Amino acid sequence: MGKRLLASGAFRVAPLQGEMTLSFLGRIADRYGLTVRSLLSSVTEVAGQQSVVGALQGDSEVFLNAAARDRVAALCRVPQVDIRRALPAWTREEPLGPSTERPAARLHNGVETVAAWGPACPGCVAARTGRVAPARVYLAAHQRVCPRHRCWLMSVPGSGGRVVGLAGCPEVVQAQADHRRLLRRSPVAASAFEVAEAVTASWWAQKWPEERLWAMRLEAAMPAGEDPQRWRILARDLVTYPETVALATLLASRAWRLRVAADGGGHLPYRLADVPCVPSELGHRLRRPWLTERLAACTHGPLFAWTYQCIRTKGGSGDAEQRLWQVPLALRPRPLADVLAGYQRRQTAGTEGLPAQKRLRGHSVHADGAFAAGLAHARTYAAQHGHLAIRRDTRVGSFSLGKWVHNQQAHALALPEEKAAALKEVDPWWNIPWSVKWQRSYYRARDHVRRHGPLNAADGFPDTHVLTGEWLYLQCTDYGSLHPEQRRLLTKIGITAETGRAAQPPAPRTEPDLLDTALAQARAYAAEHGHIAAPASTVLDGFPLGKWLAWQRRRARQGRLSPTRAEALTMIDPWWNPPWPLQWQQAYHRLRTAATGADGLPTTNLPRSLCHWARVQQASWEHLHPGQQDLLTTLGITPHTPVGERPAPATRSYPASPGLHHAHAYAAQHGHLTPDKHTRQAGFPLGQWLCQQRRKARAGTLSTTTATALTSLDPWWNPPWPYTWHRTWQQYRTTIRGNEPLPDTLLRWANAQRSQWSTLHPGQQQLLTDTGVTG
């Protein structure tokens, strides 16, 4: 049939400019009295076999290989160069057939693989071809209106599109003229239109009762007999087009962007009210006075994200301009095909055979589940503390809530609307553009006002906590440089500009005041974490708790800490100053926290890194301090207790590393596995390889086979103390065994170990004893 059809190619069918390839084939088929499916079969037929891949739908596009394109060109009697100039997708893809010489065709469907399209204007097609036949063309955002026939060329998923008359909407026709003028004048017009389209689509979804212009335009353009609910879905882009163009014109203006950046006052916005020119100018430009108040309260969405980035990039200058025009995936307008599928599902609820609902942009099953779990923990914490102004190391049971909240804040602009709304419901101030430390201090001051009444700034904030009084006075002195929202919060507790000018500094702190503050912060830390083995970097409500505790431990070891202070700290945490390294105590508390979160089974379902740490303690049990052994025993860990861990994901097995071979050779020669990082053994970078194995061991990702092999070569290949200490000890041992004189550096090092003997790990003490160094 294909050869007979080609032989009878007596009709010349010219392509339309910008026409879709499948539409062109449909007009050819119509001229020959065939269907598109029959024409595709004929074009790709060889020896009775066709090569057409994909499903043919009303909104499909087809891609042809070279052999098939030659047949179509012969059939329509138009040179390929003219076809290629007219059809954008003519040579876009080269489908593979049974062989490169055989013709092949591939059909594509959906917005993911087919560019934006719409129906060609029937009047223009008739004038161009002399025939009345439907056609589909690729349409950019500024090509969806036919100004000659005043109609909107609407793309309808699953069909050939729809032509909508615009007799009652002259502003839509004018908007396209404005849109084209903007594209000629501004290099960022296309990007600005994408942002504006996302903004107006978000407004459209909110269905504001004050919005009457869109309702009138929607009704004026609706064809007779159309379902109003379905029409509202289809007409979104048509109805919002004039406002989208007006907004894009504003966003593309360099002067406007600089004005927005300056209006922020050097602060990132919390809500759009912090950048007054944005809501006020949009309400004026779009002729909607009520919109100003609506936008002022906005704290999320595409317009807020654009404003935030505009201030952050100082108007989108330089290399940062690209970031200004990026619309997060979750904030882009939903494709009409997805919205229509949801509408169809609601209309036919309970009907069998409907396809599964497509997941929203910016969502995944895993991400949604993880967010739901984190949100539940956030609600629990907020119900107890009244806010989410938490430190990054805050945990709720075994869940790292602080890290989770920090991650949500880091990606706040890209969060879907419903997730941002859920977090805002838990705490309206969950994502603030100023320091979380400031917010915690504010809550402390607010709680003081609720308990004790108004503040007295003129007398230096008497009767307040020492840190609270100093913080309040600092806010008074810096009042003019604070964020507008910070000033609003301070106003709620009685701190205004007038109050700030009259404020006096608090009375100087005395030693008892400092001690009371430190102990209060230590108790607060212990109440949240169950201990005060805090890292030195810990700062609690502005107080350097970690450094203060480290200083108290140092004074205690020097015998200079008062018994009263030592007793107060011991009442908070009996092991606040352990005779072993603080790092060990911190690891123990991490294990205890994880064990508590595992339904009280301390040796079951634990992270691999903690399981590895517990096994190291079991292996070196005889070297542990009795107090360490007692602590581990309370968790059910003894030298012979099996320690379980969470199942690890399946990993691919690889051949054994040559590193073990070279490690064996090095240990046989030197008697240890403590080489320098740059050591090479027979050309192999053994030092770097061992460093990698130590990192894997501490992360819990080192295989048991490799760990066992290295331990058999050197039991202390991965010591729990600093590696530099171990290398110095190896140098000391080597010098002693060789009966060589000790350098001054090693003599000083040995004396230092004697002076700090009580702080050394039992394993370190044993190694030093073996070389003749004792306490």
Side-chain angles (χ1 to χ4, degrees), residues 309-340:
Q309 294 291 8
C310 186
I311 296 175
R312 186 178 183 182
T313 61
K314 299 180 180 178
S317 57
D319 297 336
E321 184 173 4
Q322 183 179 3
R323 187 168 47 188
L324 179 63
W325 305 114
Q326 292 175 348
V327 181
L329 188 64
L331 301 183
R332 296 176 187 174
R334 286 197 66 191
L336 290 182
D338 297 352
V339 185
L340 281 175

PDB file of all heavy atoms in Angstrom, residues 309-340:
ATOM      1  N   GLN A 309      14.738  36.873  46.537  1.00  0.00           N
ATOM      2  CA  GLN A 309      15.958  36.768  45.734  1.00  0.00           C
ATOM      3  C   GLN A 309      16.365  38.122  45.155  1.00  0.00           C
ATOM      4  O   GLN A 309      17.557  38.389  44.978  1.00  0.00           O
ATOM      5  CB  GLN A 309      15.761  35.758  44.602  1.00  0.00           C
ATOM      6  CG  GLN A 309      15.557  34.319  45.067  1.00  0.00           C
ATOM      7  CD  GLN A 309      16.819  33.718  45.665  1.00  0.00           C
ATOM      8  OE1 GLN A 309      17.817  34.395  45.871  1.00  0.00           O
ATOM      9  NE2 GLN A 309      16.775  32.429  45.930  1.00  0.00           N
ATOM     10  N   CYS A 310      15.404  38.977  44.877  1.00  0.00           N
ATOM     11  CA  CYS A 310      15.720  40.303  44.346  1.00  0.00           C
ATOM     12  C   CYS A 310      16.506  41.110  45.373  1.00  0.00           C
ATOM     13  O   CYS A 310      17.487  41.791  45.040  1.00  0.00           O
ATOM     14  CB  CYS A 310      14.433  41.031  43.957  1.00  0.00           C
ATOM     15  SG  CYS A 310      14.705  42.610  43.122  1.00  0.00           S
ATOM     16  N   ILE A 311      16.092  41.036  46.633  1.00  0.00           N
ATOM     17  CA  ILE A 311      16.822  41.748  47.679  1.00  0.00           C
ATOM     18  C   ILE A 311      18.157  41.072  47.954  1.00  0.00           C
ATOM     19  O   ILE A 311      19.184  41.731  48.126  1.00  0.00           O
ATOM     20  CB  ILE A 311      15.963  41.811  48.952  1.00  0.00           C
ATOM     21  CG1 ILE A 311      14.700  42.637  48.694  1.00  0.00           C
ATOM     22  CG2 ILE A 311      16.749  42.376  50.123  1.00  0.00           C
ATOM     23  CD1 ILE A 311      13.733  42.655  49.851  1.00  0.00           C
ATOM     24  N   ARG A 312      18.141  39.755  47.937  1.00  0.00           N
ATOM     25  CA  ARG A 312      19.373  39.010  48.227  1.00  0.00           C
ATOM     26  C   ARG A 312      20.442  39.244  47.171  1.00  0.00           C
ATOM     27  O   ARG A 312      21.631  39.307  47.478  1.00  0.00           O
ATOM     28  CB  ARG A 312      19.043  37.524  48.330  1.00  0.00           C
ATOM     29  CG  ARG A 312      20.186  36.641  48.768  1.00  0.00           C
ATOM     30  CD  ARG A 312      19.721  35.210  48.867  1.00  0.00           C
ATOM     31  NE  ARG A 312      20.763  34.331  49.344  1.00  0.00           N
ATOM     32  CZ  ARG A 312      20.639  33.018  49.486  1.00  0.00           C
ATOM     33  NH1 ARG A 312      19.464  32.441  49.210  1.00  0.00           N
ATOM     34  NH2 ARG A 312      21.633  32.278  49.907  1.00  0.00           N
ATOM     35  N   THR A 313      20.023  39.368  45.901  1.00  0.00           N
ATOM     36  CA  THR A 313      20.972  39.567  44.802  1.00  0.00           C
ATOM     37  C   THR A 313      21.117  41.025  44.422  1.00  0.00           C
ATOM     38  O   THR A 313      21.717  41.334  43.389  1.00  0.00           O
ATOM     39  CB  THR A 313      20.511  38.771  43.573  1.00  0.00           C
ATOM     40  OG1 THR A 313      19.223  39.236  43.154  1.00  0.00           O
ATOM     41  CG2 THR A 313      20.428  37.283  43.874  1.00  0.00           C
ATOM     42  N   LYS A 314      20.515  41.940  45.234  1.00  0.00           N
ATOM     43  CA  LYS A 314      20.600  43.375  44.985  1.00  0.00           C
ATOM     44  C   LYS A 314      20.071  43.749  43.603  1.00  0.00           C
ATOM     45  O   LYS A 314      20.714  44.443  42.830  1.00  0.00           O
ATOM     46  CB  LYS A 314      22.043  43.847  45.149  1.00  0.00           C
ATOM     47  CG  LYS A 314      22.592  43.627  46.548  1.00  0.00           C
ATOM     48  CD  LYS A 314      24.030  44.110  46.688  1.00  0.00           C
ATOM     49  CE  LYS A 314      24.534  43.866  48.109  1.00  0.00           C
ATOM     50  NZ  LYS A 314      25.947  44.290  48.267  1.00  0.00           N
ATOM     51  N   GLY A 315      18.901  43.230  43.301  1.00  0.00           N
ATOM     52  CA  GLY A 315      18.259  43.551  42.041  1.00  0.00           C
ATOM     53  C   GLY A 315      18.637  42.634  40.902  1.00  0.00           C
ATOM     54  O   GLY A 315      18.321  42.914  39.747  1.00  0.00           O
ATOM     55  N   GLY A 316      19.289  41.510  41.211  1.00  0.00           N
ATOM     56  CA  GLY A 316      19.675  40.583  40.158  1.00  0.00           C
ATOM     57  C   GLY A 316      20.840  41.074  39.344  1.00  0.00           C
ATOM     58  O   GLY A 316      20.863  40.905  38.119  1.00  0.00           O
ATOM     59  N   SER A 317      21.827  41.656  39.985  1.00  0.00           N
ATOM     60  CA  SER A 317      22.971  42.199  39.266  1.00  0.00           C
ATOM     61  C   SER A 317      24.053  41.138  39.123  1.00  0.00           C
ATOM     62  O   SER A 317      24.223  40.274  39.985  1.00  0.00           O
ATOM     63  CB  SER A 317      23.535  43.405  40.019  1.00  0.00           C
ATOM     64  OG  SER A 317      23.887  43.041  41.346  1.00  0.00           O
ATOM     65  N   GLY A 318      24.773  41.204  38.014  1.00  0.00           N
ATOM     66  CA  GLY A 318      25.932  40.338  37.795  1.00  0.00           C
ATOM     67  C   GLY A 318      25.557  38.880  37.611  1.00  0.00           C
ATOM     68  O   GLY A 318      24.529  38.532  37.012  1.00  0.00           O
ATOM     69  N   ASP A 319      26.410  38.017  38.159  1.00  0.00           N
ATOM     70  CA  ASP A 319      26.214  36.579  37.997  1.00  0.00           C
ATOM     71  C   ASP A 319      25.007  36.062  38.757  1.00  0.00           C
ATOM     72  O   ASP A 319      24.553  34.946  38.502  1.00  0.00           O
ATOM     73  CB  ASP A 319      27.476  35.840  38.467  1.00  0.00           C
ATOM     74  CG  ASP A 319      28.699  36.193  37.630  1.00  0.00           C
ATOM     75  OD1 ASP A 319      28.498  36.601  36.473  1.00  0.00           O
ATOM     76  OD2 ASP A 319      29.824  36.068  38.132  1.00  0.00           O
ATOM     77  N   ALA A 320      24.494  36.832  39.722  1.00  0.00           N
ATOM     78  CA  ALA A 320      23.366  36.381  40.528  1.00  0.00           C
ATOM     79  C   ALA A 320      22.027  36.551  39.822  1.00  0.00           C
ATOM     80  O   ALA A 320      20.999  36.144  40.351  1.00  0.00           O
ATOM     81  CB  ALA A 320      23.338  37.130  41.857  1.00  0.00           C
ATOM     82  N   GLU A 321      22.023  37.135  38.619  1.00  0.00           N
ATOM     83  CA  GLU A 321      20.749  37.413  37.945  1.00  0.00           C
ATOM     84  C   GLU A 321      19.994  36.129  37.617  1.00  0.00           C
ATOM     85  O   GLU A 321      18.764  36.087  37.676  1.00  0.00           O
ATOM     86  CB  GLU A 321      21.001  38.212  36.668  1.00  0.00           C
ATOM     87  CG  GLU A 321      19.713  38.618  35.966  1.00  0.00           C
ATOM     88  CD  GLU A 321      19.970  39.549  34.791  1.00  0.00           C
ATOM     89  OE1 GLU A 321      21.157  39.798  34.491  1.00  0.00           O
ATOM     90  OE2 GLU A 321      18.993  40.003  34.184  1.00  0.00           O
ATOM     91  N   GLN A 322      20.726  35.072  37.258  1.00  0.00           N
ATOM     92  CA  GLN A 322      20.059  33.820  36.898  1.00  0.00           C
ATOM     93  C   GLN A 322      19.240  33.270  38.059  1.00  0.00           C
ATOM     94  O   GLN A 322      18.148  32.735  37.862  1.00  0.00           O
ATOM     95  CB  GLN A 322      21.097  32.792  36.454  1.00  0.00           C
ATOM     96  CG  GLN A 322      20.492  31.469  35.989  1.00  0.00           C
ATOM     97  CD  GLN A 322      21.553  30.488  35.532  1.00  0.00           C
ATOM     98  OE1 GLN A 322      22.748  30.774  35.614  1.00  0.00           O
ATOM     99  NE2 GLN A 322      21.122  29.330  35.072  1.00  0.00           N
ATOM    100  N   ARG A 323      19.749  33.409  39.286  1.00  0.00           N
ATOM    101  CA  ARG A 323      19.029  32.905  40.455  1.00  0.00           C
ATOM    102  C   ARG A 323      17.721  33.652  40.665  1.00  0.00           C
ATOM    103  O   ARG A 323      16.752  33.094  41.207  1.00  0.00           O
ATOM    104  CB  ARG A 323      19.935  33.045  41.678  1.00  0.00           C
ATOM    105  CG  ARG A 323      19.389  32.415  42.943  1.00  0.00           C
ATOM    106  CD  ARG A 323      20.440  32.326  44.019  1.00  0.00           C
ATOM    107  NE  ARG A 323      21.172  33.578  44.173  1.00  0.00           N
ATOM    108  CZ  ARG A 323      22.234  33.710  44.935  1.00  0.00           C
ATOM    109  NH1 ARG A 323      22.708  32.681  45.588  1.00  0.00           N
ATOM    110  NH2 ARG A 323      22.844  34.883  45.043  1.00  0.00           N
ATOM    111  N   LEU A 324      17.658  34.895  40.217  1.00  0.00           N
ATOM    112  CA  LEU A 324      16.461  35.701  40.393  1.00  0.00           C
ATOM    113  C   LEU A 324      15.276  35.135  39.621  1.00  0.00           C
ATOM    114  O   LEU A 324      14.131  35.250  40.065  1.00  0.00           O
ATOM    115  CB  LEU A 324      16.753  37.140  39.955  1.00  0.00           C
ATOM    116  CG  LEU A 324      15.612  38.155  40.035  1.00  0.00           C
ATOM    117  CD1 LEU A 324      15.163  38.342  41.472  1.00  0.00           C
ATOM    118  CD2 LEU A 324      16.043  39.478  39.437  1.00  0.00           C
ATOM    119  N   TRP A 325      15.541  34.523  38.466  1.00  0.00           N
ATOM    120  CA  TRP A 325      14.453  34.080  37.587  1.00  0.00           C
ATOM    121  C   TRP A 325      14.162  32.591  37.708  1.00  0.00           C
ATOM    122  O   TRP A 325      13.394  32.057  36.902  1.00  0.00           O
ATOM    123  CB  TRP A 325      14.787  34.420  36.135  1.00  0.00           C
ATOM    124  CG  TRP A 325      15.097  35.868  35.939  1.00  0.00           C
ATOM    125  CD1 TRP A 325      16.283  36.417  35.582  1.00  0.00           C
ATOM    126  CD2 TRP A 325      14.191  36.964  36.106  1.00  0.00           C
ATOM    127  NE1 TRP A 325      16.191  37.779  35.516  1.00  0.00           N
ATOM    128  CE2 TRP A 325      14.910  38.153  35.826  1.00  0.00           C
ATOM    129  CE3 TRP A 325      12.848  37.065  36.465  1.00  0.00           C
ATOM    130  CZ2 TRP A 325      14.327  39.411  35.895  1.00  0.00           C
ATOM    131  CZ3 TRP A 325      12.277  38.332  36.533  1.00  0.00           C
ATOM    132  CH2 TRP A 325      13.003  39.475  36.252  1.00  0.00           C
ATOM    133  N   GLN A 326      14.734  31.909  38.671  1.00  0.00           N
ATOM    134  CA  GLN A 326      14.470  30.491  38.842  1.00  0.00           C
ATOM    135  C   GLN A 326      13.208  30.292  39.673  1.00  0.00           C
ATOM    136  O   GLN A 326      13.151  30.716  40.834  1.00  0.00           O
ATOM    137  CB  GLN A 326      15.665  29.800  39.515  1.00  0.00           C
ATOM    138  CG  GLN A 326      16.916  29.746  38.654  1.00  0.00           C
ATOM    139  CD  GLN A 326      18.103  29.155  39.394  1.00  0.00           C
ATOM    140  OE1 GLN A 326      18.069  28.981  40.600  1.00  0.00           O
ATOM    141  NE2 GLN A 326      19.155  28.845  38.659  1.00  0.00           N
ATOM    142  N   VAL A 327      12.216  29.641  39.078  1.00  0.00           N
ATOM    143  CA  VAL A 327      10.978  29.345  39.797  1.00  0.00           C
ATOM    144  C   VAL A 327      11.092  27.932  40.355  1.00  0.00           C
ATOM    145  O   VAL A 327      11.279  26.983  39.596  1.00  0.00           O
ATOM    146  CB  VAL A 327       9.755  29.444  38.864  1.00  0.00           C
ATOM    147  CG1 VAL A 327       8.471  29.145  39.640  1.00  0.00           C
ATOM    148  CG2 VAL A 327       9.676  30.817  38.228  1.00  0.00           C
ATOM    149  N   PRO A 328      11.024  27.736  41.671  1.00  0.00           N
ATOM    150  CA  PRO A 328      11.115  26.385  42.237  1.00  0.00           C
ATOM    151  C   PRO A 328      10.091  25.447  41.620  1.00  0.00           C
ATOM    152  O   PRO A 328       8.976  25.859  41.273  1.00  0.00           O
ATOM    153  CB  PRO A 328      10.850  26.599  43.735  1.00  0.00           C
ATOM    154  CG  PRO A 328      11.247  28.019  43.980  1.00  0.00           C
ATOM    155  CD  PRO A 328      10.899  28.759  42.721  1.00  0.00           C
ATOM    156  N   LEU A 329      10.468  24.202  41.481  1.00  0.00           N
ATOM    157  CA  LEU A 329       9.620  23.222  40.807  1.00  0.00           C
ATOM    158  C   LEU A 329       8.240  23.133  41.447  1.00  0.00           C
ATOM    159  O   LEU A 329       7.215  23.069  40.761  1.00  0.00           O
ATOM    160  CB  LEU A 329      10.313  21.851  40.834  1.00  0.00           C
ATOM    161  CG  LEU A 329       9.665  20.742  39.998  1.00  0.00           C
ATOM    162  CD1 LEU A 329       9.710  21.092  38.519  1.00  0.00           C
ATOM    163  CD2 LEU A 329      10.355  19.418  40.248  1.00  0.00           C
ATOM    164  N   ALA A 330       8.191  23.138  42.772  1.00  0.00           N
ATOM    165  CA  ALA A 330       6.908  22.981  43.462  1.00  0.00           C
ATOM    166  C   ALA A 330       6.013  24.203  43.338  1.00  0.00           C
ATOM    167  O   ALA A 330       4.823  24.124  43.653  1.00  0.00           O
ATOM    168  CB  ALA A 330       7.156  22.683  44.947  1.00  0.00           C
ATOM    169  N   LEU A 331       6.556  25.345  42.891  1.00  0.00           N
ATOM    170  CA  LEU A 331       5.756  26.575  42.779  1.00  0.00           C
ATOM    171  C   LEU A 331       5.363  26.895  41.346  1.00  0.00           C
ATOM    172  O   LEU A 331       4.733  27.925  41.106  1.00  0.00           O
ATOM    173  CB  LEU A 331       6.548  27.753  43.372  1.00  0.00           C
ATOM    174  CG  LEU A 331       6.972  27.624  44.836  1.00  0.00           C
ATOM    175  CD1 LEU A 331       7.674  28.889  45.298  1.00  0.00           C
ATOM    176  CD2 LEU A 331       5.773  27.331  45.730  1.00  0.00           C
ATOM    177  N   ARG A 332       5.735  26.057  40.408  1.00  0.00           N
ATOM    178  CA  ARG A 332       5.342  26.303  39.016  1.00  0.00           C
ATOM    179  C   ARG A 332       3.878  25.914  38.807  1.00  0.00           C
ATOM    180  O   ARG A 332       3.339  25.067  39.529  1.00  0.00           O
ATOM    181  CB  ARG A 332       6.234  25.495  38.067  1.00  0.00           C
ATOM    182  CG  ARG A 332       7.701  25.906  38.123  1.00  0.00           C
ATOM    183  CD  ARG A 332       8.547  25.023  37.242  1.00  0.00           C
ATOM    184  NE  ARG A 332       9.972  25.305  37.427  1.00  0.00           N
ATOM    185  CZ  ARG A 332      10.940  24.602  36.873  1.00  0.00           C
ATOM    186  NH1 ARG A 332      10.653  23.581  36.088  1.00  0.00           N
ATOM    187  NH2 ARG A 332      12.205  24.913  37.114  1.00  0.00           N
ATOM    188  N   PRO A 333       3.218  26.505  37.814  1.00  0.00           N
ATOM    189  CA  PRO A 333       1.813  26.145  37.565  1.00  0.00           C
ATOM    190  C   PRO A 333       1.674  24.673  37.213  1.00  0.00           C
ATOM    191  O   PRO A 333       2.504  24.117  36.482  1.00  0.00           O
ATOM    192  CB  PRO A 333       1.426  27.040  36.372  1.00  0.00           C
ATOM    193  CG  PRO A 333       2.421  28.146  36.371  1.00  0.00           C
ATOM    194  CD  PRO A 333       3.691  27.578  36.912  1.00  0.00           C
ATOM    195  N   ARG A 334       0.651  24.054  37.731  1.00  0.00           N
ATOM    196  CA  ARG A 334       0.420  22.643  37.425  1.00  0.00           C
ATOM    197  C   ARG A 334      -0.011  22.493  35.970  1.00  0.00           C
ATOM    198  O   ARG A 334      -0.840  23.266  35.472  1.00  0.00           O
ATOM    199  CB  ARG A 334      -0.659  22.063  38.332  1.00  0.00           C
ATOM    200  CG  ARG A 334      -0.224  21.815  39.751  1.00  0.00           C
ATOM    201  CD  ARG A 334      -1.197  20.886  40.438  1.00  0.00           C
ATOM    202  NE  ARG A 334      -1.171  19.557  39.858  1.00  0.00           N
ATOM    203  CZ  ARG A 334      -2.065  18.600  40.112  1.00  0.00           C
ATOM    204  NH1 ARG A 334      -3.077  18.852  40.927  1.00  0.00           N
ATOM    205  NH2 ARG A 334      -1.966  17.421  39.554  1.00  0.00           N
ATOM    206  N   PRO A 335       0.514  21.507  35.251  1.00  0.00           N
ATOM    207  CA  PRO A 335       0.068  21.279  33.876  1.00  0.00           C
ATOM    208  C   PRO A 335      -1.431  21.004  33.828  1.00  0.00           C
ATOM    209  O   PRO A 335      -1.996  20.351  34.714  1.00  0.00           O
ATOM    210  CB  PRO A 335       0.881  20.047  33.447  1.00  0.00           C
ATOM    211  CG  PRO A 335       2.063  20.019  34.356  1.00  0.00           C
ATOM    212  CD  PRO A 335       1.587  20.590  35.650  1.00  0.00           C
ATOM    213  N   LEU A 336      -2.073  21.518  32.774  1.00  0.00           N
ATOM    214  CA  LEU A 336      -3.522  21.341  32.651  1.00  0.00           C
ATOM    215  C   LEU A 336      -3.915  19.866  32.607  1.00  0.00           C
ATOM    216  O   LEU A 336      -4.976  19.487  33.100  1.00  0.00           O
ATOM    217  CB  LEU A 336      -4.026  22.039  31.385  1.00  0.00           C
ATOM    218  CG  LEU A 336      -4.004  23.573  31.415  1.00  0.00           C
ATOM    219  CD1 LEU A 336      -4.567  24.124  30.111  1.00  0.00           C
ATOM    220  CD2 LEU A 336      -4.807  24.104  32.593  1.00  0.00           C
ATOM    221  N   ALA A 337      -3.045  19.023  32.018  1.00  0.00           N
ATOM    222  CA  ALA A 337      -3.367  17.597  31.940  1.00  0.00           C
ATOM    223  C   ALA A 337      -3.517  16.997  33.334  1.00  0.00           C
ATOM    224  O   ALA A 337      -4.418  16.189  33.586  1.00  0.00           O
ATOM    225  CB  ALA A 337      -2.274  16.857  31.163  1.00  0.00           C
ATOM    226  N   ASP A 338      -2.660  17.415  34.289  1.00  0.00           N
ATOM    227  CA  ASP A 338      -2.753  16.890  35.650  1.00  0.00           C
ATOM    228  C   ASP A 338      -4.005  17.403  36.355  1.00  0.00           C
ATOM    229  O   ASP A 338      -4.681  16.662  37.074  1.00  0.00           O
ATOM    230  CB  ASP A 338      -1.508  17.287  36.442  1.00  0.00           C
ATOM    231  CG  ASP A 338      -0.238  16.700  35.864  1.00  0.00           C
ATOM    232  OD1 ASP A 338      -0.347  15.861  34.953  1.00  0.00           O
ATOM    233  OD2 ASP A 338       0.857  17.079  36.312  1.00  0.00           O
ATOM    234  N   VAL A 339      -4.319  18.692  36.157  1.00  0.00           N
ATOM    235  CA  VAL A 339      -5.503  19.262  36.808  1.00  0.00           C
ATOM    236  C   VAL A 339      -6.773  18.640  36.241  1.00  0.00           C
ATOM    237  O   VAL A 339      -7.710  18.324  36.980  1.00  0.00           O
ATOM    238  CB  VAL A 339      -5.523  20.786  36.637  1.00  0.00           C
ATOM    239  CG1 VAL A 339      -6.685  21.393  37.417  1.00  0.00           C
ATOM    240  CG2 VAL A 339      -4.214  21.399  37.118  1.00  0.00           C
ATOM    241  N   LEU A 340      -6.816  18.451  34.927  1.00  0.00           N
ATOM    242  CA  LEU A 340      -7.996  17.829  34.312  1.00  0.00           C
ATOM    243  C   LEU A 340      -8.176  16.387  34.773  1.00  0.00           C
ATOM    244  O   LEU A 340      -9.296  15.923  34.970  1.00  0.00           O
ATOM    245  CB  LEU A 340      -7.870  17.878  32.789  1.00  0.00           C
ATOM    246  CG  LEU A 340      -8.199  19.209  32.125  1.00  0.00           C
ATOM    247  CD1 LEU A 340      -7.916  19.134  30.633  1.00  0.00           C
ATOM    248  CD2 LEU A 340      -9.654  19.591  32.368  1.00  0.00           C
TER     249      LEU A 340
END
